[in-house]
Amino acid sequence: MTTTSPFRSARPAFTDRAFRTVTFASGLVVLVVLALILVSTTREAMPAFRSEGIGFLTSDRWAPNVGSFGALPFIYGTLVISVIALVIAVPVSIGIALFLTEVAPKGLRRPVSYAVDLLAAVPSVVFGLWGLLVLAPAMVGVYDKVSRVSDRVPLVGTLLGGPVNGKSYLTAGLVLALMITPIITSLVREVFNTVPTVQKEAALALGATRWEMVRQAVFPHSRAGMIGAVMLGLGRAMGETIAAALVIGSSPQITAHLLRSGDAMAAVIANQFGEAGGVHRSALIGLGVVLFIVTVAVNIAAQTVVRRLSAAEVTR
């Protein structure tokens, strides 16, 4: 005697096809919107691209009054402050996530998690104003002492040498680090929570210390998710506009001195777009195109790394 499943009928087949069509169309909308953004902004930026050619990406001179538009100082500044933010935020975020998942008492985990999540919801302009009015003035004295101490130390003296400025690459990196720490922490915390309890208990049962359990059971299981969280934080840091514009100093230059003023792509767009016209306006839109491409490239790289690590974990 055969039985017919109540789910096998013509209607479910139709709904499945409709479901696939709707979800495919939804995914396609994202790609279409991204393509339209890229095409429309590139079209607006073409006068600057035609005027400067490859020099738009390789020249370090940005002088709108004489019609010279080189984006290299802004690309450099964006990368520098993003790297500073990651160097500071990643270990702090992983430490907070480990505290919340492995160390903190249960009664403390939820309020601290709420506080971290609330910090992620603070508008970027608030961070920027705090950096401009509080952090930058307070850091001038600190930077001056650090500069005098490290002035004669090779390499360190190059990075931290004077003259110093409160509004600098390092200040911008510190503010961005504060902004992306809650994002990375929240994502890494959720990744850590997916580690099977049996794996952690097995490590502890074999005599591992808590740190050894984290190193041998939590980190290997969470590696792909941690990299994805870091890449998302990097994308946020690279695209941040207002906070970076307020504390970086708006001085387009390429220098290894982190305590001096600089500029970034998103910051210069925010500072100059309102008064720009003609080729100057096109050049600012061109900076947006470059930033868009770099951000998409970072996300694609993150997806690739996560996919390869996940595949490697499956084959083990």
Side-chain angles (χ1 to χ4, degrees), residues 55-57 59 61-62 69-76 265 287 290:
F56 185 78
L57 296 176
S59 173
R61 190 180 187 211
W62 180 269
F69 301 99
L72 194 57
F74 306 109
I75 298 173
Y76 174 79
M265 287 188 281
L287 288 176
V290 175

Side-chain angles (χ1 to χ4, degrees), residues 141-284:
V142 178
Y143 289 166
D144 190 51
K145 292 179 182 176
V146 171
S147 174
R148 279 188 274 125
V149 170
S150 60
D151 193 37
R152 297 182 179 179
V153 181
L155 183 60
V156 178
T158 303
L159 294 175
L160 304 177
V164 305
N165 193 327
K167 293 192 288 186
S168 63
Y169 287 117
L170 185 56
T171 303
L174 290 171
V175 173
L176 292 183
L178 184 61
M179 295 178 64
I180 66 174
T181 293
I183 298 171
I184 299 177
T185 299
S186 298
L187 294 173
V188 173
R189 183 189 66 212
E190 295 303 318
V191 172
F192 286 167
N193 281 330
T194 64
V195 178
T197 304
V198 65
Q199 288 190 13
K200 295 189 283 187
E201 292 179 345
L204 294 173
L206 291 173
T209 63
R210 188 171 291 275
W211 164 244
E212 290 171 336
M213 179 272 291
V214 169
R215 188 162 54 88
Q216 297 175 6
V218 177
F219 284 166
H221 185 276
S222 310
R223 189 178 298 122
M226 291 168 63
I227 292 175
V230 171
M231 290 300 177
L232 286 176
L234 176 60
R236 171 69 192 277
M238 294 180 68
E240 178 50 43
T241 306
I242 296 300
L246 290 174
V247 297
I248 197 170
S250 302
S251 176
Q253 60 176 327
I254 298 176
T255 174
H257 296 279
L258 303 181
L259 305 184
R260 296 181 185 176
S261 297
D263 215 333
M265 287 188 281
V268 71
I269 293 172
N271 283 330
Q272 298 185 8
F273 196 83
E275 301 175 353
V279 180
H280 184 193
R281 180 176 178 274
S282 299
L284 293 173

Side-chain angles (χ1 to χ4, degrees), residues 82-118:
S82 299
V83 169
I84 293 173
L86 279 188
V87 168
I88 298 171
V90 169
V92 174
S93 301
I94 293 176
I96 297 174
L98 284 175
F99 173 75
L100 292 175
T101 55
E102 305 296 337
V103 180
K106 289 187 178 179
L108 189 61
R109 293 181 182 182
R110 179 164 296 184
V112 175
S113 298
Y114 282 156
V116 172
D117 294 340
L118 284 175

